[in-house]
Amino acid sequence: TQLLEQSPQFLSIQEGENLTVYCNSSSVFSSLQWYRQEPGEGPVLLVTVVTGGEVKKLKRLTFQFGDARKDSSLHITAAQPGDTGLYLCAGASGSSNTGKLIFGQGTTLQVKP
Amino acid sequence: DTEVTQTPKHLVMGMTNKKSLKCEQHMGHRAMYWYKQKAKKPPELMFVYSYEKLSINESVPSRFSPECPNSSLLNLHLHALQPEDSALYLCASSITGLAGNYEQYFGPGTRLTVT
């Protein structure tokens, strides 16, 4: 069974601080998605990483896919209150043709002004 | 346009009621999904439709009945639910359910409360 372990589960920081969220597995994924979800809303796709070692930047967010495609990280620079939400990583297995995603447990981020 | 719409936004129903949740996308996606999500937890997959055919049922109780009338629409029929079924129900779609096309776009969800 493929699992994605996401850490930390909860993070409360002050505005302007930096943070990193990790998503780790013993399994190889063909791609990995990061989503952000605000309370009462659906997850919003932030980025997809596909190639081992790939780094993608989205304004103050930097996403990295591990060389072996077993892990990923999300780094936020100078966090703002608008970054508050639930961050989810989700991996896709290349051996599956069902479109089924394996979700991490999520990181709840609170950025205080 | 990466929009998936869901109605209603909120639903309160008794345990003997029958209700339906609706989901619609006009992105030409051929895979559609139903998820159940509890507070501060990741979404749990319930059903996957691929090319209008049910391809995955994650052992969901029969009181939840999915339907895919066409490639743009997905329904979830609810009957005789239990209070523990209260949750946020999310619909999602992707280009296909095949390898290499895994980006899923989620709707805003229906907040369901069973009394």
Side-chain angles (χ1 to χ4, degrees), chain A residues 7-8 12 14 30 37 50 58 63-64 66-67 81 85 92 103-104 110 113:
Chain A
S7 63
S12 181
Q14 293 295 133
S30 61
Q37 183 177 20
V50 178
L58 187 66
F63 304 85
Q64 186 161 6
D67 290 342
F103 279 89
Q110 181 187 40

Side-chain angles (χ1 to χ4, degrees), chain B residues 66-81:
Chain B
E67 178 196 20
C68 189
N70 59 55
S71 60
S72 300
L73 294 173
L74 187 66
N75 299 321
L76 186 62
H77 302 297
L78 314 173
H79 173 56
L81 294 193

Side-chain angles (χ1 to χ4, degrees), chain B residues 20-38:
Chain B
S20 297
L21 309 184
K22 296 185 184 303
C23 174
E24 191 166 2
Q25 58 87 13
H26 294 288
M27 296 179 278
H29 289 179
R30 303 309 299 272
M32 296 185 77
Y33 311 78
W34 279 116
Y35 288 87
K36 173 183 177 181
Q37 187 180 29
K38 293 282 197 179

Side-chain angles (χ1 to χ4, degrees), chain A residues 10 30-31 33 35 37 40-43 45 47-48 86 88 92-101 103-106 108, chain B residues 9 33 35 37 40-43 45 48 55-56 58 88 90 96-109 111:
Chain A
F10 300 98
S30 61
S31 70
Q33 281 72 240
Y35 294 86
Q37 183 177 20
E41 298 294 328
L45 180 65
V47 80
T48 297
L86 177 68
L88 294 159
S93 170
S95 63
S96 167
N97 65 354
T98 62
K100 186 173 177 179
L101 293 178
F103 279 89
Q105 289 302 301
T108 299
Chain B
K9 180 77 170 168
Y33 311 78
Y35 288 87
Q37 187 180 29
K40 293 189 168 60
K41 297 294 184 184
L45 184 66
V48 180
S55 60
I56 294 179
E58 292 284 277
L88 182 68
L90 294 163
T96 71
L98 301 178
N101 289 285
Y102 291 114
E103 290 185 341
Q104 293 184 18
Y105 296 89
F106 286 83
R111 171 68 62 191

